[in-house]
Amino acid sequence: RKDLVGRGLLLVGAGLFWSWNYVALVAPPPRQLNGPLFAVLGTMGAGTVAMEGELRRLGIEATHEVTLGVDGSVSWLHAILYHNATAAALCDDLLPQAWHPQLLFVELRQVCGDSSRCWTRQCPDALDRWRGCAVAGTCPVPFRKKPLVVVRHPLRTAESLGDFCHSTKLIAAARLLGEPGLAESGCPAQLLRYWLLYYRHLAAFPVVRREDLTDGCALLSHLHSASPRLALARRACAGSLTASFWTSAYRFRQFVHELKANGIAGFDPLNRRFDPDQRPALTWDDLAIFADDPGFRTDLATLALAFGYDDASPFAA
């Protein structure tokens, strides 16, 4: 009996070891650049962390808020690549836990290292190179000219970001959007203004609602890339046994990574930052309190309705 148990454990261990290294043996080279990178854009609170994890579990080399030149990025910061509104004030200082130009400006990493003085000095020129570069086709690391814009209901986004009010992240967002007054308004007004301004800049691009993305395969169906990893993932989503085995091996590796990062609590698909029972529930009627800007609720509801949120209809223009 001991021999059977020992053999069983040996087989399980061998299987885990083989699946762990299967990706490295048969997968496309992880650092191979295959044409322009895709960009999945969404506000903070739209679930970008979860979406990056869903793509990685399919074997796609996606990064979150970082430009690494692999398959693509899921990010709110990369909106800089798709409009020219970003203010030069973005480079005035490095905001802790909010805006780090080294996340995007990869060509400066070897030049500046960890020197904040160097980053501050080099940032304005780098911002000029990266601002709107994807649309113009001039990015130092090529990105597709059209991003996929993922939108989440504005009220649910504001609820999720409740502890971000007056944070350095929203100061960074104000600079990114070229709207310095954003960080000066009250809460939750600033969170909702952030949603409105962010998606106004990107409304001309393909948009999908976060609530309609049931899993990584649903997200993948909206992405375009020449990467062989995306081709394998699509085959897996379509039921290919060989591709499914490859993505299963990759999913196991990603599960271990997420377990290390998030602990036993696991992965929250909407990236909520505190207990849902303790979140303030917002309704469209609540927005009537913004008497200083009576048109704000109308503008917000009109854009939300355009994205398919029918509950905004009574308040839209």
Side-chain angles (χ1 to χ4, degrees):
R1 183 175 297 177
K2 289 183 178 179
D3 288 343
L4 290 175
V5 172
R7 290 176 183 176
L9 291 174
L10 183 62
L11 288 173
V12 170
L16 291 175
F17 176 81
W18 188 81
S19 65
W20 183 266
N21 290 279
Y22 184 74
V23 172
L25 293 172
V26 304
R31 298 296 172 189
Q32 176 180 322
L33 184 61
N34 299 278
L37 279 65
F38 65 77
V40 178
L41 306 180
T43 60
M44 294 177 282
T48 54
V49 174
M51 287 186 282
E52 181 245 1
E54 289 165 0
L55 292 176
R56 292 189 68 84
R57 283 192 289 276
L58 287 172
I60 297 167
E61 292 287 343
T63 56
H64 181 248
E65 296 183 359
V66 182
T67 302
L68 291 179
V70 189
D71 288 332
S73 263
V74 186
S75 173
W76 72 274
L77 289 171
H78 281 70
I80 290 175
L81 281 57
Y82 294 93
H83 65 73
N84 292 307
T86 302
L90 196 63
C91 293
D92 285 352
D93 53 15
L94 298 180
L95 298 170
Q97 299 180 344
W99 164 247
H100 306 287
Q102 57 266 46
L103 293 176
L104 300 183
F105 305 156
V106 291
E107 77 277 21
L108 296 186
R109 286 178 184 165
Q110 293 182 340
V111 175
C112 290
D114 295 325
S115 170
S116 59
R117 180 177 298 180
C118 175
W119 279 109
T120 303
R121 185 175 64 251
Q122 298 279 357
C123 181
D125 289 339
L127 180 58
D128 285 341
R129 286 193 295 273
W130 285 87
R131 182 167 39 196
C133 67
V135 176
T138 59
C139 292
V141 174
F143 275 81
R144 295 187 65 86
K145 291 190 174 184
K146 291 185 178 181
L148 175 65
V149 179
V150 177
V151 60
R152 185 184 176 194
H153 193 292
L155 302 184
R156 306 293 82 79
T157 302
E159 290 169 358
S160 180
L161 291 175
D163 55 347
F164 276 27
C165 284
H166 308 293
S167 70
T168 53
K169 291 182 182 292
L170 280 179
I171 295 174
R175 296 177 180 179
L176 184 150
L177 297 168
E179 296 283 348
L182 172 65
E184 299 170 4
S185 56
C187 188
Q190 61 180 189
L191 300 174
L192 294 166
R193 292 184 197 281
Y194 162 55
W195 186 96
L196 177 61
L197 293 167
Y198 188 92
Y199 288 116
R200 266 184 176 171
H201 283 296
L202 300 172
F205 296 112
V207 174
V208 62
R209 300 191 310 175
R210 180 68 179 99
E211 293 86 348
D212 296 332
L213 298 176
T214 54
D215 56 20
C217 290
L219 175 59
L220 177 62
S221 69
H222 295 278
L223 297 180
H224 302 281
S225 171
S227 168
R229 284 174 291 276
L230 268 74
L232 269 172
R234 287 194 178 92
R235 287 170 52 204
C237 290
S240 166
L241 185 61
T242 304
S244 295
F245 189 81
W246 178 78
T247 56
S248 295
Y250 203 102
R251 189 176 297 116
F252 175 69
R253 293 169 66 98
Q254 182 64 13
F255 168 75
V256 174
H257 169 76
E258 290 173 3
L259 195 62
K260 289 179 179 179
N262 301 303
I264 199 168
F267 212 75
D268 184 338
L270 282 178
N271 193 24
R272 291 192 173 93
R273 291 168 174 80
F274 43 87
D275 188 342
D277 294 332
Q278 298 179 7
R279 289 201 317 269
L282 291 174
T283 68
W284 289 105
D285 288 327
D286 293 332
L287 273 61
I289 63 175
F290 304 133
D292 59 322
D293 187 356
F296 169 67
R297 181 174 65 172
T298 300
D299 292 344
L300 184 72
T302 300
L303 187 57
L305 181 61
F307 290 148
Y309 295 108
D310 294 336
D311 62 317
S313 178
F315 310 95

